[in-house]
Amino acid sequence: MLTANHFLPKAAGALLYWVLANVGMSIFALQPDNITLLWLPSGLALVMCLQWGYRAVPWIVLASFCANFSGMASDSLTRQLVHTGLNAIADGLAGIIAMLLFRRLLPHGLSTARDLLPFAAGVCLVTTLISSTLITTNLAVAGYIAWEQVGSYIRMLTLGDSLGILLVYPIYQGWKEFNRLSLLNVQWL
């Protein structure tokens, strides 16, 4: 039986994803309007998937779709729906890939300086390279960008999404560790 305890945290995560996406698109937007130089939702997608596993994916896809729909404006509503949906699915897939790589490469989380290389290269770079390639190919097929721009868009999206993961995940880990502190530790701080 589904309760509010199952529904509300995921809905709040999706709402936060949508907010972060809109903030990023309003500050760092390029053409098309939903392409940004910093995509914090990629980090939130990793956190949501680490927290709730595969159950987070529909929420990520829904939030991504809602955030990106207006930026994928087209003369055809069907084309806009299809290509926004494909990008949203790629964003959901990125969260799952990041989660799987994270669990495989960093079973104990980020705990030492040696963990930074697998995190940056394995979790951030590999995940975002896959999702960026899917999203950029979708944009080119749909005619939102020229085929000559595919390489530069893949590089740009990979960097922006990787930065999102690199910025958001440490905040999440710090928040989890802060919640584990005892009352005595908090008083000392």
Side-chain angles (χ1 to χ4, degrees):
M1 176 175 184
L2 292 178
T3 64
N5 290 340
H6 290 89
F7 174 78
L8 289 178
K10 293 174 194 75
L15 180 61
L16 182 58
Y17 187 104
W18 180 82
V19 167
L20 289 175
N22 281 294
V23 167
M25 287 186 281
S26 66
I27 296 172
F28 304 107
L30 301 170
Q31 291 300 321
D33 291 343
N34 60 330
I35 301 300
T36 69
L37 297 173
L38 175 62
W39 188 247
L40 294 173
S42 61
L44 184 58
L46 168 61
V47 167
M48 289 173 69
C49 288
L50 286 171
Q51 191 71 32
W52 302 302
Y54 294 102
R55 293 172 299 195
V57 173
W59 295 96
I60 294 166
V61 171
L62 175 65
S64 176
F65 184 89
C66 291
N68 286 300
F69 186 74
S70 64
M72 299 285 287
S74 174
D75 54 353
S76 164
L77 180 60
T78 302
R79 181 172 157 235
Q80 184 178 3
L81 289 169
V82 167
H83 293 288
T84 304
L86 290 172
N87 280 0
I89 290 168
D91 284 337
L93 180 64
I96 287 297
I97 293 170
M99 175 197 72
L100 293 171
L101 287 170
F102 187 92
R103 288 182 177 166
R104 170 91 181 193
L105 299 172
L106 302 161
H108 304 291
L110 285 176
S111 54
T112 67
R114 278 188 263 171
D115 295 335
L116 293 176
L117 184 60
F119 181 68
V123 177
C124 297
L125 190 60
V126 170
T127 299
T128 60
L129 188 58
I130 293 168
S131 65
S132 297
T133 301
L134 293 172
I135 289 169
T136 302
T137 302
N138 180 45
L139 292 173
V141 166
Y144 290 103
I145 63 171
W147 282 101
E148 296 80 33
Q149 297 174 297
V150 167
S152 63
Y153 268 75
I154 289 173
R155 286 189 302 276
M156 181 177 49
L157 289 176
T158 299
L159 177 63
D161 289 9
S162 293
L163 286 173
I165 295 172
L166 287 169
L167 291 171
V168 171
Y169 179 77
I171 293 169
Y172 166 73
Q173 183 174 350
W175 174 77
K176 277 180 46 176
E177 289 175 10
F178 179 77
N179 284 336
R180 290 185 193 146
L181 293 175
S182 70
L183 183 57
L184 182 61
N185 291 342
V186 172
Q187 287 174 344
W188 179 82
L189 289 174

